[in-house]
Amino acid sequence: MRENLIHVNSRNEVLDFKKLGTLVNYNELRDYEWSYSSENNVITGFTKGIVKKTIPFVFFTNEDKADEIKNKFYEHFDVDVLSEEPGYFKIGDYKYYCYLTKSKKTNYLIDKRYLELSVEVTTDRAEWINEKTLNLIMYSDKKSHSKEKKYIYSYPYIYSNQKGVVQVNNDSFISCDFILRIYGPCSNPFVKIGQVIYQVNSTLTNDEYLEINTKERTIFAYSKYGEKRDLFHFRGKERSNFFEKFPSGTSTVAWNGMFKAELIIYETRGEPKWI
């Protein structure tokens, strides 16, 4: 694999295989397969279900450090299984959440120079995820910009001469789920994406934020004290497509500039994008 592969476990501890002097041999991380359901010889749906993939590793080491590497490798991955919280492999900007469920040591140490082992990872989320974040800022006044300004973020966009309006490019080939976080204090806040208005008719204090999750189809408010309020029934009901995904291509995102918000768009792929 030419890309630099790293793994981050559930404790946010990082294994950078390149820095460890590790060769990641031919593996199945980029492979994928759809299963399908059918009725009367007609395909009725697709799923990936629980997926297992094999990754062979070769560690270039010496006899003195071999045991240290084996122990570190085991402990780094097994903490995810024992805590039942997945870590993830990362290639470029894409993450693959999974558990290491099998480790096979064919050759512990060969010619006192390198160590071979093969692992099997298992996931119920067989997709590579690229999280792209856009910050919607709060303005201290209502004066308009005199000139258009360009900024570079995870998503390229342009501030127009009207505050609270940006053009956002989703370069995924399909529409994407997203999480929208709106921070208090504010009342009846809304963000408009394309023609869909995501408004929640409730009041947030200075210590609260609300979160709209299109994948889970949920709306909750959270306080810094750990309190949680369900605001699902306070959503704007003018449109039936309140949990519409973020469309592919360029969309206008608008808000009134009276609050801060954060838009996290989740691009998912069966394999990470080749770059």
Side-chain angles (χ1 to χ4, degrees):
M1 177 172 289
R2 294 181 179 179
E3 303 103 333
N4 186 30
L5 178 68
I6 69 171
H7 185 270
V8 181
N9 68 12
S10 55
R11 290 181 178 173
N12 209 35
E13 299 167 335
V14 179
L15 274 186
D16 187 321
F17 300 105
K18 185 177 181 180
K19 290 182 179 179
L20 286 174
T22 305
L23 174 65
V24 184
N25 277 344
Y26 169 78
N27 63 81
E28 300 174 348
L29 280 175
R30 283 189 175 272
D31 297 344
Y32 68 91
E33 180 179 359
W34 288 101
S35 299
Y36 62 88
S37 56
S38 64
E39 185 175 347
N40 298 324
N41 290 322
V42 176
I43 294 176
T44 57
F46 294 91
T47 183
K48 290 180 179 175
I50 295 178
V51 173
K52 296 181 179 181
K53 296 188 177 186
T54 301
I55 311 172
F57 291 98
V58 178
F59 293 87
F60 293 93
T61 182
N62 56 52
E63 195 169 6
D64 294 333
K65 292 186 177 181
D67 288 342
E68 177 184 347
I69 289 176
K70 286 181 284 188
N71 288 331
K72 182 177 182 180
F73 196 81
Y74 165 77
E75 293 168 3
H76 174 89
F77 284 99
D78 222 45
V79 69
D80 296 340
V81 174
L82 296 176
S83 63
E84 297 185 8
E85 294 182 19
Y88 60 85
F89 286 97
K90 187 175 182 182
I91 297 176
D93 294 324
Y94 293 87
K95 299 176 181 178
Y96 188 84
Y97 288 86
C98 59
Y99 296 96
L100 192 154
T101 52
K102 183 178 180 180
S103 177
K104 184 178 181 181
K105 292 82 173 175
T106 307
N107 295 290
Y108 263 32
L109 198 63
I110 304 171
D111 298 330
K112 299 183 179 180
R113 292 185 298 111
Y114 60 94
L115 173 71
E116 285 187 354
L117 59 90
S118 178
V119 303
E120 185 175 83
V121 298
T122 305
T123 184
D124 54 5
R125 300 170 59 186
E127 57 192 15
W128 289 87
I129 303 171
N130 185 4
E131 303 172 14
K132 301 178 182 180
T133 301
L134 169 70
N135 291 312
L136 308 180
I137 66 174
M138 179 173 64
Y139 297 101
S140 58
D141 58 62
K142 296 185 179 180
K143 296 179 181 179
S144 297
H145 289 287
S146 59
K147 296 181 180 180
E148 185 177 74
K149 297 182 180 180
K150 293 185 179 181
Y151 298 83
I152 299 176
Y153 289 91
S154 298
Y155 266 107
Y157 63 94
I158 300 173
Y159 279 101
S160 70
N161 58 5
Q162 180 183 357
K163 288 186 176 182
V165 178
V166 294
Q167 299 297 315
V168 180
N169 179 39
N170 175 13
D171 59 4
S172 174
F173 68 100
I174 57 172
S175 57
C176 299
D177 279 306
F178 65 86
I179 287 177
L180 174 63
R181 295 192 183 105
I182 297 176
Y183 295 88
C186 58
S187 294
N188 306 327
F190 75 90
V191 173
K192 184 179 181 183
I193 300 175
Q195 299 302 312
V196 182
I197 298 176
Y198 300 86
Q199 182 167 10
V200 180
N201 298 309
S202 183
T203 298
L204 299 176
T205 69
N206 188 52
D207 297 325
E208 290 184 308
Y209 71 91
L210 71 81
E211 184 173 285
I212 299 170
N213 187 320
T214 61
K215 183 177 178 64
E216 302 297 331
R217 301 179 68 84
T218 57
I219 308 169
F220 288 104
Y222 300 89
S223 77
K224 70 176 184 180
Y225 306 107
E227 298 166 333
K228 179 179 178 181
R229 292 189 289 137
D230 189 348
L231 299 180
F232 182 84
H233 295 292
F234 293 89
R235 71 191 187 283
K237 299 185 177 74
E238 294 79 10
R239 292 176 177 268
S240 61
N241 57 347
F242 186 90
F243 293 101
E244 188 84 5
K245 295 182 180 182
F246 200 102
S248 176
T250 300
S251 299
T252 299
V253 176
W255 73 108
N256 64 11
M258 302 302 290
F259 55 81
K260 292 187 297 183
E262 183 179 52
L263 179 65
I264 307 171
I265 302 176
Y266 294 89
E267 178 192 9
T268 59
R269 296 172 58 93
E271 61 180 35
K273 186 177 290 186
W274 296 91
I275 298 176

